[in-house]
Amino acid sequence: QSALTQPASVSGSPGQSITISCTGTSSDVGGYNYVSWYQQHPGKAPKLMIYDVSDRPSGVSNRFSGSKSGNTASLTISGLQAEDEADYYCSSYTSSSTRVFGGGTKLTVL
Amino acid sequence: EVQVVESGGGLVQPGGSLRLSCAASGFTFSSYAMSWVRQAPGKGLEWVSSVTNTGGGTYYADSVKGRCTISRDNSKNTLYLQMNSLRVEDTAVYYCAKFGSGSYLDYWGQGTLVTVSS
């Protein structure tokens, strides 16, 4: 049950787009379309942003989008805003019927 | 409004036990799988355990297998996590979360802090 691999940090200026990658294996990310992404502000509970690779829950801005290629999933945030500054985590279902999270990525809006 | 509220955290000595509870409301509790996720201070999220809607299927991270037991009481709309043989490295905020219709967690509680220290 190794954690999925995410960059420790990414940054961008307001209005720009950024992409966060999430790399796993064929036993998790690559094997299922069950990747989800969560946003967490300091001291707060995580919030679901993307599920099933690319679907958005109601109420989540369409500036957030997800995709997957092989064993790597990606979260793209377009039109960066100050309130997007947070930690982002990917998660995947695994072949053992368990779940695994990525190590998290700190997004800084410059 | 969907709500999940954790309780039961606190300070416990290494080797001790603790039982966390999660009270759910605002949805048909017996229809959804549930999960516990933890976050050590300053660290990332770690999936701990999940249980199917009926309680018939339970799943654990290797880090807690054999020491933790997840269960639910659908008549009380409550999820539990019994933690035994606690270690210093189990210190974390423990979140209760509801699964959506698929393999994702759509509602999270505010967490309960478990501190394992002598």
Side-chain angles (χ1 to χ4, degrees):
Chain A
Q1 294 177 345
S2 299
L4 305 176
T5 301
Q6 297 181 231
S9 64
V10 298
S11 63
S13 299
Q16 289 186 330
S17 294
I18 63 94
T19 296
I20 299 171
S21 61
C22 169
T23 301
T25 68
S26 58
S27 295
D28 38 63
V29 174
Y32 308 91
N33 287 326
Y34 294 144
V35 176
S36 49
W37 290 89
Y38 303 88
Q39 175 192 66
Q40 187 181 35
H41 288 108
K44 300 295 187 181
K47 174 187 176 184
L48 177 67
M49 305 302 285
I50 295 288
Y51 66 95
D52 293 352
V53 176
S54 58
D55 290 339
R56 256 188 329 274
S58 66
V60 172
S61 170
N62 59 10
R63 298 185 298 105
F64 291 83
S65 62
S67 62
K68 190 185 85 167
S69 178
N71 295 337
T72 299
S74 299
L75 172 71
T76 298
I77 309 174
S78 58
L80 268 181
Q81 299 179 0
E83 66 247 35
D84 299 332
E85 185 162 294
D87 293 326
Y88 290 85
Y89 296 90
C90 61
S91 179
S92 176
Y93 178 78
T94 80
S95 59
S96 304
S97 299
T98 60
R99 272 75 179 175
V100 61
F101 281 94
T105 298
K106 181 178 179 60
L107 169 62
T108 301
V109 180
L110 301 170
Chain B
E1 179 192 5
V2 172
Q3 280 197 314
V4 290
V5 180
E6 306 92 338
S7 62
L11 175 64
V12 61
Q13 291 189 335
S17 297
L18 213 55
R19 188 201 202 197
L20 305 183
S21 299
C22 171
S25 61
F27 64 101
T28 305
F29 183 69
S30 59
S31 294
Y32 293 92
M34 299 290 293
S35 189
W36 290 97
V37 176
R38 69 184 181 184
Q39 186 169 35
K43 302 297 185 182
L45 300 176
E46 179 188 14
W47 174 79
V48 174
S49 182
S50 296
V51 62
T52 59
N53 64 314
T54 62
T58 57
Y59 308 91
Y60 300 93
D62 288 344
S63 58
V64 304
K65 196 175 295 183
R67 300 187 300 120
C68 290
T69 302
I70 191 171
S71 62
R72 64 191 295 161
D73 186 336
N74 286 346
S75 69
K76 295 182 178 179
N77 289 353
T78 302
L79 176 73
Y80 304 100
L81 185 68
Q82 176 68 43
M83 301 188 295
N84 301 324
S85 303
L86 281 163
R87 306 167 179 168
V88 170
E89 55 264 36
D90 293 319
T91 295
V93 173
Y94 284 72
Y95 293 102
C96 166
K98 166 189 171 291
F99 275 98
S101 57
S103 192
Y104 54 91
L105 298 168
D106 58 357
Y107 288 94
W108 297 62
Q110 288 304 304
T112 186
L113 176 62
V114 172
T115 303
V116 184
S117 174
S118 55

